[in-house]
């Protein structure tokens, strides 16, 4: 994770003045000594005769790509993870007990899905933003988890569900009493705004308004989740204060749920630039509000949209935003066994992010989370799931691993099935196993358990550990930018990863058949050896790269 520039503390006003003079955008001084022949960058025929022999090339495209100091994160649904007290429900003490598992995986951060009190199993409808869900434990348990995590060099972020509360939240209960309530304007009531027959469609294509005590309140996602009113300065101040409360308790940052829906409420105002501008302004205010006391707080947002919509939020609001398009692209590429040209498209996206963030963004990568059918269910075959991990964990940015995906856990359809109990024991039951939801997706004989996979060097779990170790071993893989490579072929995806000082070439064979790839002269001169590989049968000799089926190599 990158620290925020010191001048940011001066606030948004100063920040916009500075960004206006474009001091930070464009070329990164880190890459100033990394000049490369333009011929190579064009992606056309390389020009080996012009390439400097002693200092091999890095493309101008790469020179414009900022480094992205990265951390591997692990997303945990506490209810499903590990049960410390035998009630079948995962809890914070259970997460603490399993920090060494996270550490051995190689992750240096965890994202806890909502831990606040809530009437739902998932917790995305909060009734008290300053407390811990009783099912999960106490505030002391949380503080112990934070201390033990930090002792192991593991950061902890938690979901902040700011767009809406639960209808059971005392604010809403009071607000619903009538116009005289102190909390009336903490939510949006149609009749108070002179809307008499509210029938609008929400931004998520449901009903926007819901009836309560003869009036209608705004609830974009569901009637149990009334939207908070961010036109009310008290709401804004309270959300900053809540963030300060948790950061003060030792939390390292937040995953911001439904970040674009603060003002994106109706399907009619979805693409209104005013809506996006108001969202951005609020999240900048939020960032400014926590900056002074917590300058290193890490904020990653769920802006479930394309890069054009995401980019503005990286402007002095969020450090990262989840890359939904990349998730789609990796998933469909591995299923179709077709090279997606990731470097080409990320290069364009990162230029936009770079500009918007003054070079401070770090991408948020994922190939699975609690809102998608499990990767192992969607991928079509275990090899495809492995390939998706091989791609995600060799890309720039902060990769997030969704708990259980490292075992190939399946689950699809209803949300609960995407969030099934973590599978610890080959027997299916045992210490710590959560049982709150029956698992019909992962048969006992499937080998999808920590116990079995920890002993098997060829398991998916072992692959995840190896890939994360590669990142730890290669600064270019962990912190570098990305540039397209001239290495091409049927089902072959290749990209360079570069820091100012180092670079590696990553090559994937997405096909189930072996492939031979002839490296061009410049590439062969720059990369002489396989530094890391998923298969011993993938090798480089005399400029010819032999790639085993579904294999990945890192060349140096
Ligand atoms: Ca428990
Ligand atoms: Ca909203």
């Amino acid at each position: 994770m990158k620290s925020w520039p010191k001048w940011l503390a001066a606030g948004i006003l100063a920040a916009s003045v500075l960004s206006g003079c474009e001091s930070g955008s464009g070329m990164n001084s880190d890459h100033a000594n990394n000049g490369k022949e333009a011929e190579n960058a064009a992606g056309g025929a390389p020009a080996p005769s012009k390439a400097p022999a002693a200092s091999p090339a890095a493309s101008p495209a790469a020179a414009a790509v900022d480094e992205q100091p990265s951390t591997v994160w692990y997303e945990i649904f506490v209810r499903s993870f590990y049960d410390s007290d035998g009630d079948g429900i995962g809890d914070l003490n259970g997460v603490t007990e399993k920090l060494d598992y996270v550490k051995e995986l190689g992750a240096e951060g965890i994202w806890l899905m909502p831990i606040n009190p809530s009437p739902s199993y998932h917790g995305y409808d909060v009734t008290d933003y300053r407390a811990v869900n009783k099912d999960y434990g106490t505030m002391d348990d949380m503080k112990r988890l934070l201390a033990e995590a930090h002792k192991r060099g593991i950061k902890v972020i938690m979901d902040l569900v700011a767009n809406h509360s639960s209808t059971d939240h005392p604010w809403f209960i009071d607000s619903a009493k009538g116009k005289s309530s102190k909390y009336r304007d903490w939510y949006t009531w149609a009749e108070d705004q002179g809307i008499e027959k509210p029938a609008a469609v929400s931004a998520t294509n449901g009903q926007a308004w819901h009836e309560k005590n003869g009036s209608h309140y705004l609830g974009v996602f569901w009637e149990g989740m009334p939207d908070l009113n961010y036109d009310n300065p008290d709401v804004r101040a309270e959300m900053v204060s809540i963030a300060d409360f948790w950061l003060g308790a030792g939390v390292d940052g937040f995953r911001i749920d439904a970040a674009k829906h603060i003002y994106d409420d109706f399907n009619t105002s979805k693409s209104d630039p005013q809506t996006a501008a108001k969202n951005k302004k609020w999240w900048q205010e939020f960032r400014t509000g926590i900056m002074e006391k917590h300058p290193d707080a890490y904020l990653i947002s769920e802006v479930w949209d394309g890069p054009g919509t995401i980019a503005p939020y990286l402007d002095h609001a969020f450090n990262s935003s989840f890359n939904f398009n990349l998730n789609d692209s990796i998933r469909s590429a591995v299923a179709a066994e077709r090279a997606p040209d990731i470097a080409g498209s990320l290069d364009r996206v990162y230029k936009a992010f770079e500009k918007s963030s003054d070079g401070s963004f770090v991408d948020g990568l994922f190939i699975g989370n609690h809102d998608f059918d499990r990767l192992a269910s969607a991928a079509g075959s275990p090899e495809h799931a492995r390939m998706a991990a091989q791609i995600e964990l060799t890309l720039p940015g902060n990769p997030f691993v969704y708990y259980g995906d490292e075992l190939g856990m399946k689950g699809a359809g209803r949300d609960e099935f995407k969030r099934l109990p973590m599978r610890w024991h080959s027997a299916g039951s045992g210490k710590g196993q959560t049982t709150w939801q029956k698992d019909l997706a992962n048969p006992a004989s499937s080998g999808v358990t920590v116990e079995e996979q920890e002993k098997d060097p060829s398991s998916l779990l072992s692959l995840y550990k190896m890939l994360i170790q590669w990142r730890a071993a290669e600064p270019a893989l962990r912190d570098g930018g990305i540039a397209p490579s001239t290495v091409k072929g049927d089902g072959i995806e290749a990209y360079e990863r570069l820091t100012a000082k180092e670079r590696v070439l990553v090559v994937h064979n997405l096909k189930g058949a072996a492939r031979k790839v002839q490296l061009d002269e410049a590439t062969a001169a720059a990369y002489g050896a396989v530094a890391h590989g998923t298969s011993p049968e993938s090798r480089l000799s005399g400029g010819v790269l032999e790639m085993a089926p579904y294999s990945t190599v890192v060349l140096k």
Side-chain angles (χ1 to χ4, degrees):
M1 184 182 68
K2 206 172 249 189
S3 295
W4 286 70
K6 285 200 178 62
W7 51 260
L8 236 173
I12 294 305
L13 183 64
S16 23
V17 171
L18 277 173
S19 65
C21 70
E22 295 188 13
S23 60
S25 57
M27 302 290 282
N28 181 337
S29 58
D30 286 354
H31 294 286
N33 299 324
N34 228 0
K36 180 175 178 178
E37 304 298 77
E39 288 87 342
N40 284 356
S49 61
K50 290 183 189 170
S55 164
S59 70
V65 175
D66 193 11
E67 294 179 15
Q68 296 186 43
S70 82
T71 301
V72 176
W73 292 82
Y74 188 67
E75 178 189 357
I76 293 178
F77 182 38
V78 176
R79 187 172 298 276
S80 279
F81 198 58
Y82 195 86
D83 172 25
S84 73
D85 59 5
D87 66 357
I89 297 173
D91 43 53
L92 295 175
N93 286 339
V95 175
T96 305
E97 267 188 62
K98 284 293 157 187
L99 283 171
D100 287 332
Y101 171 80
V102 175
K103 182 87 183 163
E104 278 162 34
L105 179 65
E108 294 174 301
I110 54 180
W111 154 23
L112 300 174
M113 285 166 61
I115 60 162
N116 303 117
S118 165
S120 68
Y121 82 90
H122 50 74
Y124 282 100
D125 44 346
V126 171
T127 54
D128 184 350
Y129 286 97
R130 295 171 194 262
V132 169
N133 188 325
K134 280 201 194 79
D135 286 350
Y136 295 169
T138 65
M139 197 66 191
D140 283 345
D141 295 340
M142 181 63 178
K143 287 187 176 163
R144 200 165 67 87
L145 163 56
L146 292 167
E148 290 295 321
H150 292 159
K151 212 186 277 178
R152 290 165 177 78
I154 297 172
K155 291 177 190 295
V156 181
I157 61 171
M158 58 184 267
D159 246 296
L160 182 66
V161 190
N163 176 66
H164 49 262
S165 73
S166 164
T167 42
D168 291 350
H169 196 295
W171 300 336
F172 183 78
I173 292 170
D174 200 87
S175 180
K177 284 179 185 161
K179 283 193 179 183
S180 60
S181 162
K182 179 185 163 204
Y183 291 101
R184 186 64 171 179
D185 287 341
W186 282 49
Y187 299 87
T188 304
W189 295 90
E191 287 77 5
D192 294 5
Q193 305 205 343
I195 304 168
E196 294 211 351
K197 286 184 183 163
V201 177
S202 81
T204 56
N205 293 320
Q207 214 178 312
W209 300 101
H210 313 275
E211 195 274 331
K212 179 86 180 174
N213 300 340
S215 293
H216 291 80
Y217 62 90
L218 181 65
V220 169
F221 286 90
W222 170 55
E223 63 179 32
M225 296 173 168
D227 280 49
L228 285 158
N229 173 19
Y230 279 83
D231 282 341
N232 182 337
D234 292 343
V235 170
R236 292 168 97 102
E238 177 62 11
M239 205 45 75
V240 171
S241 167
I242 287 161
D244 181 63
F245 170 84
W246 287 104
L247 293 167
V251 167
D252 297 288
F254 302 99
R255 178 265 185 185
I256 309 282
D257 183 61
K260 73 167 183 168
H261 287 292
I262 297 297
Y263 284 99
D264 181 4
D265 296 323
F266 303 103
N267 73 343
T268 47
S269 52
K270 253 183 182 172
S271 40
D272 183 349
Q274 288 294 334
T275 305
K278 281 159 85 177
N279 281 331
K280 175 176 160 175
K281 191 158 179 282
W282 151 244
W283 287 118
Q284 288 180 330
E285 182 182 322
F286 178 83
R287 162 65 72 181
T288 305
I290 59 173
M291 262 322 274
E292 195 180 333
K293 276 159 78 183
H294 312 285
D296 292 327
Y298 177 63
L299 302 181
I300 178 162
S301 65
E302 180 200 36
V303 176
W304 197 326
D305 216 314
T309 304
I310 287 171
Y313 291 91
L314 301 170
D315 175 9
H316 313 111
F318 304 128
N319 306 67
S320 303
S321 197
F322 287 108
N323 194 329
F324 283 87
N325 279 16
L326 184 63
N327 172 49
D328 294 343
S329 146
I330 294 175
R331 282 181 169 223
S332 50
V334 299
E337 303 194 355
R338 207 174 46 231
D341 186 22
I342 288 174
S345 50
L346 282 185
D347 195 42
R348 287 188 295 278
V349 168
Y350 290 167
K351 279 194 176 90
F353 287 1
E354 195 52 31
K355 202 172 167 210
S356 176
S357 70
D358 281 338
S360 67
F361 84 98
V362 176
D363 200 6
L365 314 180
F366 68 101
I367 49 174
N369 76 16
H370 59 282
D371 285 325
F372 287 84
D373 286 346
R374 283 275 187 183
L375 175 64
S377 295
S381 79
E383 288 76 20
H384 293 164
R386 293 173 78 93
M387 181 51 69
Q390 288 160 210
I391 295 173
E392 184 200 17
L393 290 164
T394 52
L395 286 175
N398 289 339
F400 281 70
V401 176
Y402 181 44
Y403 83 94
D405 276 359
E406 76 277 23
L407 307 174
M409 268 176 66
K410 289 187 174 176
R414 276 173 48 197
D415 281 347
E416 291 91 322
F417 300 159
K418 303 166 185 165
R419 309 163 185 178
L420 290 169
M422 177 71 173
R423 299 173 56 81
W424 297 102
H425 307 284
S426 58
S429 61
K431 190 168 178 288
Q433 183 61 46
T434 65
T435 56
W436 71 276
Q437 173 72 39
K438 198 168 168 53
D439 182 352
L440 299 171
N442 299 283
S445 58
S446 58
V448 180
T449 67
V450 172
E451 186 181 353
E452 288 160 280
Q453 295 197 16
E454 272 184 337
K455 294 179 209 146
D456 176 4
S458 69
S459 69
L460 185 58
L461 177 59
S462 296
L463 175 71
Y464 268 82
K465 287 182 184 175
M466 180 174 74
L467 295 168
I468 296 172
Q469 280 164 9
W470 293 0
R471 289 180 83 87
E474 303 294 344
L477 213 48
R478 186 186 61 227
D479 300 332
I482 189 167
S485 164
T486 55
V487 176
K488 308 271 183 219
D490 182 25
I492 297 293
E493 174 78 16
Y495 39 83
E496 288 185 287
R497 299 288 318 282
L498 320 98
T499 61
K501 293 190 185 126
E502 297 181 46
R503 63 195 188 130
V504 296
L505 175 65
V506 179
V507 186
H508 307 285
N509 176 10
L510 277 77
K511 298 273 187 198
R515 285 274 179 278
K516 271 189 193 176
V517 187
Q518 175 77 52
L519 303 188
D520 62 60
E521 223 174 305
T523 305
Y527 296 103
V530 175
H532 308 278
T534 57
S535 163
E537 284 146 40
S538 296
R539 41 180 179 246
L540 176 64
S541 172
V544 176
L545 182 60
E546 288 181 56
M547 295 288 293
Y550 302 119
S551 71
T552 295
V553 294
V554 176
L555 305 184
K556 277 171 93 170

